[in-house]
Amino acid sequence: MAGNTAATGSGAGAGGRTGPETPADTGAETGTETPADTGAGGTEAVARWIRRHAHPLTTMDPGAPAADLQPLAAMVGNARTVALGASVRDSHELSSTAHRILRLLVEQEGFRALALEGDDAARVGLDAYIRTGAGDPRALLAGARSFWRTGELLAVVRWMRSHNERNPDDPVRFAGVPSDGGGARPPYSGPAGVEWSLAENTRRWHERTGDRIVHWGGLAHTANGDARTVSPAPSPTAHRNAGGRLRRLWGPEYVSLGLTFHHGRTSQPVPDPPEEFAESVLGGAGLDAYLLDLRAPAPAPVREWLAAPARTRLVGPWYDPGEDAAHHMSGGALADWFDIVVHVREVTPARPLTG
C-alpha cells in the first residue's frame, strides 16, 4: 500500500479532532469572519508555492492511464474514507475527475465502496445493477434526483458493473444503510440531522463491512466542517457537517478532498470568482487542472493564507449568477476544510444522460 502521508498529522491541514460526540455538540460557530487579505505579495507567494507543489492533470478521460493522478495514492495513505467534495455537481470536468479518482482508489488502493450523496442507490436499483447486471442503468438513473441524471454518472455506474464482472469475488458496492430499518434516528432536526445521517451511514457501512469508502458528494457536506457556514440560506446555517463528524471519529483516516473550479459554465454561466474567494488564488497559479496536497511544506505567507478565514464557492440548484458572491461556504480555513484539492480552471456542463 502507498505510504501514509495523510496519517502523519503534520502540516497545515492536519490535526482533526477525535473523540466521542454528544447530541448537544453541534459545532456551531459564533460571530462572523471575513477572509484575510493576503495582499499582492502574499498572493504571488501562494501562486509560486502552488506551481512548485501541484501535480498537473493531463486528461479528464476516466479510461485514460492514471499516471498524472498517481501522487494521490501516497496522499491518501491508510484512510478509511476519502471524501470527494465538489463545489458544483453538474460539471463534466469535476465529475469525470471524481470518476478517475474512484477508479484509482478501487484498482490500486483497495477501496471497495462508493457512498454517493443525494439519493438512494438501492431505491433506484443501481446497487442491484452493479451486483447482478439486472436492469438498464440509463433508465435507473432517470428515476434518480436531477444531479445524478448525467452521462458522467452513467459512466461510473457502468464501470462499477464492469469491474464486478471482472472481479466477482471482490466486488465494489454502493455504501448505504441496509433497508431493514436498522438506521438510527438522527438526534438533530433540519440540516444538522442531514449531516448526522450522512456521516452515520458512512460510519456504519465501514463498521459492518470493513470496506474503505469513497464518499462523493457536495463540498459543503464533505469538508471537515466543524466550523463552516453555508450561504445563502433563509438565514446562514452553521453546524457541524458530515465531514466534521467523520474527522472527529477517524482523525486523519478521514481524508477530505475538495473539487474546486475557477469559472465556466454548468447549467448556468459561472463568472470568475470574487478576489476574496479561495478559487481566485487557486486559479491564479496559471495551471489548467491540478492536484495539490495542502499539507505540503510551505513558507510562512502560504501557511498564513491556508490558515486564514476562507470562502469557497458553492454552486447548487438555487445558484444565481447575478449574485455569485452570495453563494459560498465560510467560517473556517482552507487547510482545515481540505487535506487535498483538485482545481480545474474552467468547467463545462455535465453531459446529458444518454445510452
Side-chain angles (χ1 to χ4, degrees), residues 261-263 270-281 283 313 324:
F261 73 102
H262 187 269
H263 71 278
V270 183
D272 290 0
E275 288 186 3
E276 68 270 22
F277 278 32
E279 289 88 349
S280 179
V281 179
R313 68 186 343 156
D324 177 67

Side-chain angles (χ1 to χ4, degrees), residues 187-212:
Y188 315 106
S189 60
V194 171
E195 301 296 339
W196 183 92
S197 294
L198 289 172
E200 181 67 5
N201 287 353
T202 297
R203 182 197 67 80
R204 290 189 68 221
W205 183 270
H206 178 75
E207 183 179 78
R208 189 166 69 92
T209 66
D211 286 346
R212 303 178 78 190

Side-chain angles (χ1 to χ4, degrees), residues 85-89 94 218-220 229-232 259-266 269-280 282 310-316 319-321 323-330 334 337-338 343-347:
S87 55
V88 64
R89 299 291 293 271
L94 297 191
L219 177 149
T229 299
V230 174
S231 301
L259 293 160
T260 65
F261 73 102
H262 187 269
H263 71 278
R265 186 176 184 91
T266 58
V270 183
D272 290 0
E275 288 186 3
E276 68 270 22
F277 278 32
E279 289 88 349
S280 179
L282 293 171
R311 290 185 183 179
T312 187
R313 68 186 343 156
L314 295 175
V315 179
Y319 173 74
D320 178 359
E323 299 290 337
D324 177 67
H327 298 265
H328 63 265
M329 182 171 72
S330 62
L334 201 70
W337 289 335
F338 311 117
H343 186 75
V344 175
R345 181 159 180 82
E346 184 173 4
V347 297

Side-chain angles (χ1 to χ4, degrees), residues 6-256:
T8 62
S10 63
R17 295 179 295 163
T18 59
E21 297 181 64
T22 63
D25 185 9
T26 62
E29 64 172 314
T30 58
T32 301
E33 296 177 308
T34 57
D37 181 3
T38 58
T43 298
E44 180 53 36
V46 175
R48 287 196 303 268
W49 176 79
I50 291 172
R51 289 191 291 268
R52 184 176 302 120
H53 291 278
H55 302 275
L57 300 181
T58 59
T59 181
M60 301 293 168
D61 179 2
D68 57 336
L69 274 177
Q70 204 62 48
L72 182 62
M75 297 177 193
V76 164
N78 64 352
R80 304 185 197 201
T81 293
V82 172
L84 310 180
S87 55
V88 64
R89 299 291 293 271
D90 58 349
S91 151
H92 168 69
E93 287 76 13
L94 297 191
S95 296
S96 293
T97 299
H99 183 175
R100 296 189 71 214
I101 292 171
L102 171 67
R103 292 181 66 154
L104 174 80
L105 295 178
V106 169
E107 294 174 344
Q108 298 189 30
E109 299 301 306
F111 284 70
R112 286 298 177 267
L114 172 62
L116 188 61
E117 277 181 11
D119 211 325
D120 184 344
R123 179 190 72 80
V124 297
L126 294 177
D127 189 58
Y129 170 76
I130 66 165
R131 287 187 292 108
T132 69
D136 174 358
R138 180 181 179 279
L140 297 172
L141 280 174
R145 292 184 66 183
S146 60
F147 50 76
W148 279 22
R149 299 197 296 264
T150 68
E152 288 78 9
L153 192 51
L154 177 62
V156 170
V157 171
R158 285 177 165 161
W159 172 79
M160 292 173 74
R161 175 57 192 157
S162 175
H163 172 90
N164 290 347
E165 288 177 320
R166 297 190 306 272
N167 303 276
D169 298 324
D170 189 21
V172 63
R173 292 285 308 276
F174 282 109
V177 174
S179 56
D180 57 4
R185 178 184 292 275
Y188 315 106
S189 60
V194 171
E195 301 296 339
W196 183 92
S197 294
L198 289 172
E200 181 67 5
N201 287 353
T202 297
R203 182 197 67 80
R204 290 189 68 221
W205 183 270
H206 178 75
E207 183 179 78
R208 189 166 69 92
T209 66
D211 286 346
R212 303 178 78 190
I213 302 165
V214 177
H215 183 127
W216 180 9
L219 177 149
H221 300 300
T222 64
N224 174 32
D226 264 5
R228 71 96 169 92
T229 299
V230 174
S231 301
S235 60
T237 56
H239 47 261
R240 177 171 299 124
N241 70 341
R245 294 181 180 282
L246 291 170
R247 177 60 64 85
R248 281 180 64 92
L249 177 66
W250 289 331
E253 290 184 354
Y254 176 80
V255 172
S256 171

